[in-house]
Amino acid sequence: MAVIEIPRLTVHTTRYTARAQSGLSMCFVIAIALLAWVQLASAQTMAEFRRTLTVTAAKTVTLDVDVAVGELQVSYGRDGEVSIAASARGSEPAGIGDGFVSAVLRIEQIGNHIMIHTFDPVPPEERTSVLYQINVPYRTELTSKVNSGKQVITGILGPVNAVTNKGDIKAAYISNALEGHVGTGNLDLQVIGGPVEAIADSGNISCTRLPQGVSAEAGEGDITLMVVGPSTAVVKKGTGRINVGGARGRFIGSTDQGDLYLKAIPHEDWQLSSVSGNVRLELPPSAKFELEASTKTGELQFERDDITKPLANLLQFRQAINGGGKRIAVHTESGRIVIR
Amino acid sequence: MRMSRQFVRNLAITCALLGCSNWVFGQKDPGVRGGIQNTGGGLQQQGIPIPHPPLISRNPTTGETINENELKSFLEGILRAGQLESTCDDCADVTDGSPVIGMGELDPVFPQFHTNSNGLGARHNSDQCFSCHAQPTLGGSGGYLVPNPGDKTPHQAENPQFHLIPHRYGRQNVVPSFEHRYGPIREVRFKRKPDGTPDGGVHQLWTVRGSTNDPTIPNCALTQPDFEKEYKAGNLAFRIPLQMTGLGLIESIQDREILAQHDATATLRAPLGITGHPNRSGNDGTITRFGWKAQNKSVTIFAGEAYNVEMGITNEAFPTATEEDPDCQGPEKPEPNDVVRTDNNESRNQDFDNPLHILPDWQQFQILMRFTDGPAPVANPSESAKHGRTLFSDIGCALCHTPQMQTAPVMNSAVLQNRPVNLFSDMFLHHMGAKLADDITQGQAGADEFRTTPLWGIGQRIFFMHDGRTADLLKAIDEHFSSATPKYSASEANEVVHKFHGLSSVDQQAILDFLRSL
């Protein structure tokens, strides 16, 4: 069979090639011309910079970073050294040359205190992208400020104080406290050992595994908390929602028009409120708690067998569930309260 | 009589001169690089936390670095491996897996007097991974720790098996005489069972009897094996902890690379009597490579085994407890203890409390090992060390301690693939003769066979050989020599050890300096 198939295929290919040869050649020429034009129009230049600083393991490293424009990544690498890498890409007018990064970057070291400051590299219209990657020892305290760009901070002792004016902040595996503030952008925090303060003027906040809790404040974005200690979450205005899974301690949450959803075991008291958003609680069947639910013009809805079904149009309700326990106070002005 | 007196005087002068020359010119192990005080427990003694495991470095071949998910898994692995285990299932001092913040611990990720995990087995060798892997960094080989980390005035760092682990939380263990205060961390295998048949298994040193932090096991009355009796009877075989660093790189080396490297030295090895063979998996026939006898196939198997054997924590890979006394496990402790959490019962898989706690500790631990970098040699070796490296090859050490291998060309993780690994091992088993023989058989590793120990990081190791019998590199080299006996053949290293001793003192010193630069 194979002996027959091979010549047949060869004949077919030859026939096809003969028919399409001239057309193909034309396409080829056009494609190459197009590629050349694209290359010329968006000629990219690139510069790289690397430096390693030696630090002592005996003391904590204090790192202060101030970046005008660019993405900042600070992460654990190894003890005994701070390694700084920077790369810049830009269109031709930006004039990215070999000395570009070193010209916009100032590094100072006084013992274990390292200060990194950058200047605004080139006007934004020239589309320069700059990435600063700093690998540090575990025992590092960080103060970082980025005017325009993203921050990613991973795997250090802390404390961390990170601020961006425009851009996201992602931080993970910080052992001590963290303060994060974004103007326009999102805050994504995972596994932070110490207490956390998170503020997003315009953007979302997401927190996962914060055993010492978080004080989260969103101007109008969503707040998502998963497995957190004693926490407060406030959405100041608009339709921003709060979504909580696994609140391990006291919890206070409030929204404006957005919904508030909480699924957890009530280990401590909860206080939940909204203006017009719905509040939905999901607790295990065996959970013991003292429920106080109220609304001005909204609705109460209970989907558990252990809660006495209230009368229609009831605006206030109070009952000890499974013998009672921690206090769960829920209030909405005009939304709906649902307990499952 | 006068001549005789003069002869004696001259002899004395000659001996003194010889002794002096030996003292001045004799080769000597320079000791742990940086000094004991600058690594592991030495730092801890000064109130400085032990450095964390080094993250795998940028791939020198491709420039790839660890990706975000790998980095987070690595960091989660540090959290899990640093956990101090409590006995009962819900009596950890802080949330499972969380750093211990604000409670006076020197390192919140490596707590030593607050528990942040659960599941310690009724019998165990330790209650924390890093207790036995802290030299020169967390994740390293066995070293010293401060025994009273909660006190303001720390004692000198010492073998954590001497006091810290056996007596933590009031546990009532008797410390056997072979665990010395400033000696190596030793675990024990019995060579034979009481009926004389081969044993070979690990017999855990400690029990949870007397734990003050577990109200669920008040009646635990477990006793330790009679280690002294077995010791006197010559029935014990010791093993010291190996470093966990660089294991992901070693795992990433293909069998074909190991075999090719070995084949490449065949003509050089033959006249020296060096043969060797790999240990192989009984299941798929591939080369196994982890442990003193290369008995473990993968870091995953290694992790599962270590959780069960060293800490008594059962898991999917090793689901059966080494001690099943119900009085010592707590009435509600589920078996296996540490598993992927898929149970629908929220109290067991922490669905409501911790929906993200999915991967068990032992699996996070294997990810940590996979992405921990290999030990780094000294950046600027001395002239002597550079010379020593040449001699190391010239006299044949490198025929087994293969300086470099390459990882597989394509792997799931870009940071691991197609990069050099400076492990200084051929991953083969070799007959080492009667002096090192421990009479333990593991897979195809016989009673006097050991895997060529990777030498990377040896510059900062304290103890050498499988049983930690010496802290002196020179002695460790000599221990490679063993004449043939009726029971064992001669060591495969004999000719190379001869060549070492044929070198001048300066050259011998150069080799020692080279080794301490690794």
Side-chain angles (χ1 to χ4, degrees), chain B residues 334-370:
Chain B
E335 294 288 350
N337 313 140
D338 189 34
V339 295
V340 174
R341 298 172 197 279
T342 53
D343 197 311
N344 203 28
N345 178 329
E346 76 275 7
S347 67
R348 289 178 61 180
N349 77 349
Q350 304 173 12
D351 176 37
F352 283 87
D353 264 358
N354 191 353
L356 300 157
H357 192 176
I358 296 167
L359 271 189
D361 296 346
W362 74 276
Q363 288 199 27
Q364 288 291 169
F365 177 71
Q366 55 101 359
I367 298 174
L368 165 66
M369 287 194 281
R370 186 159 290 119

Side-chain angles (χ1 to χ4, degrees), chain A residues 8-305:
Chain A
R8 202 184 283 170
L9 273 172
T10 307
V11 168
H12 177 82
T13 307
T14 308
R15 206 181 290 155
Y16 171 80
T17 306
R19 256 201 332 253
Q21 200 162 19
S22 62
L24 251 182
S25 301
M26 184 66 79
C27 287
F28 217 66
V29 170
I30 293 169
I32 287 171
L34 265 172
L35 270 173
W37 180 80
V38 168
Q39 191 86 351
L40 206 67
S42 61
Q44 290 273 309
T45 51
M46 186 174 167
E48 285 188 329
F49 171 91
R50 282 181 194 281
R51 183 183 292 176
T52 300
L53 309 173
T54 303
V55 291
T56 170
K59 290 181 182 170
T60 301
V61 170
T62 306
L63 179 63
D64 295 327
V65 190
D66 188 344
V67 170
V69 178
E71 179 175 340
L72 172 66
Q73 295 179 0
V74 178
S75 73
Y76 170 68
R78 62 181 59 216
D79 285 288
E81 66 180 43
V82 172
S83 148
I84 303 158
S87 59
R89 290 170 193 273
S91 54
E92 195 64 62
I96 305 287
D98 283 346
F100 174 82
V101 180
S102 48
V104 300
L105 187 64
R106 183 191 296 157
I107 301 169
E108 292 176 72
Q109 180 179 14
I110 303 168
N112 271 25
H113 186 186
I114 292 166
M115 291 147 283
I116 299 173
H117 181 88
T118 78
F119 306 99
D120 199 346
V122 286
E125 61 270 20
E126 291 176 5
R127 294 188 293 114
T128 300
S129 76
V130 189
L131 171 64
Y132 300 97
Q133 291 172 295
I134 306 172
N135 289 337
V136 296
Y138 166 65
R139 291 176 69 206
T140 296
E141 293 178 11
L142 173 68
T143 304
S144 59
K145 186 179 170 191
V146 174
N147 183 44
S148 177
K150 182 177 168 186
Q151 288 196 56
V152 182
I153 304 159
T154 317
I156 61 174
L157 175 65
V160 169
N161 186 322
V163 177
T164 63
N165 183 27
K166 188 179 174 186
D168 298 344
I169 294 178
K170 287 178 83 172
Y173 292 93
I174 311 298
S175 300
N176 271 328
L178 180 141
E179 287 180 34
H181 187 168
V182 294
T184 304
N186 301 318
L187 258 170
D188 182 355
L189 310 175
Q190 295 179 18
V191 197
I192 313 294
V196 173
E197 187 176 309
I199 301 172
D201 297 336
S202 176
N204 302 324
I205 297 173
S206 171
C207 300
T208 305
R209 285 176 66 193
L210 276 49
Q212 298 215 23
V214 56
S215 166
E217 183 184 300
E220 52 193 359
D222 296 343
I223 297 176
T224 304
L225 308 181
M226 300 294 279
V227 195
V228 292
S231 296
T232 303
V234 176
V235 178
K236 290 164 87 174
K237 62 175 183 179
T239 56
R241 294 163 298 180
I242 294 176
N243 187 351
V244 183
R248 285 170 173 258
R250 170 189 54 79
F251 179 70
I252 299 171
S254 71
T255 64
D256 180 20
Q257 301 160 48
D259 292 349
L260 196 162
Y261 171 69
L262 196 156
K263 178 183 177 184
I265 300 168
H267 294 293
E268 296 293 338
D269 293 350
W270 296 345
Q271 191 179 322
L272 314 164
S273 63
S274 75
V275 177
S276 60
N278 299 324
V279 181
R280 186 183 180 90
L281 296 185
E282 193 173 335
L283 303 105
S286 57
K288 299 174 177 179
F289 55 99
E290 194 85 33
L291 178 65
E292 290 177 27
S294 63
T295 178
K296 270 190 180 170
T297 59
E299 186 186 338
L300 304 183
Q301 182 180 329
F302 302 118
E303 298 175 0
R304 290 173 64 103
D305 294 339

Side-chain angles (χ1 to χ4, degrees), chain B residues 56 243-254 289-290 298-300 302 365-375 406-408 411 413 415-417 419 421 456:
Chain B
I56 187 133
Q243 63 199 2
M244 291 153 30
T245 44
L247 298 194
L249 290 167
I250 290 178
E251 189 180 63
S252 305
I253 298 168
Q254 290 181 303
R289 55 190 76 177
F290 298 107
S298 65
V299 292
T300 305
F302 194 41
F365 177 71
Q366 55 101 359
I367 298 174
L368 165 66
M369 287 194 281
R370 186 159 290 119
F371 292 114
T372 298
D373 209 6
Q406 193 80 8
T407 62
M411 297 197 64
S413 172
V415 77
L416 292 172
Q417 75 185 16
R419 64 184 287 171
V421 185
W456 56 357

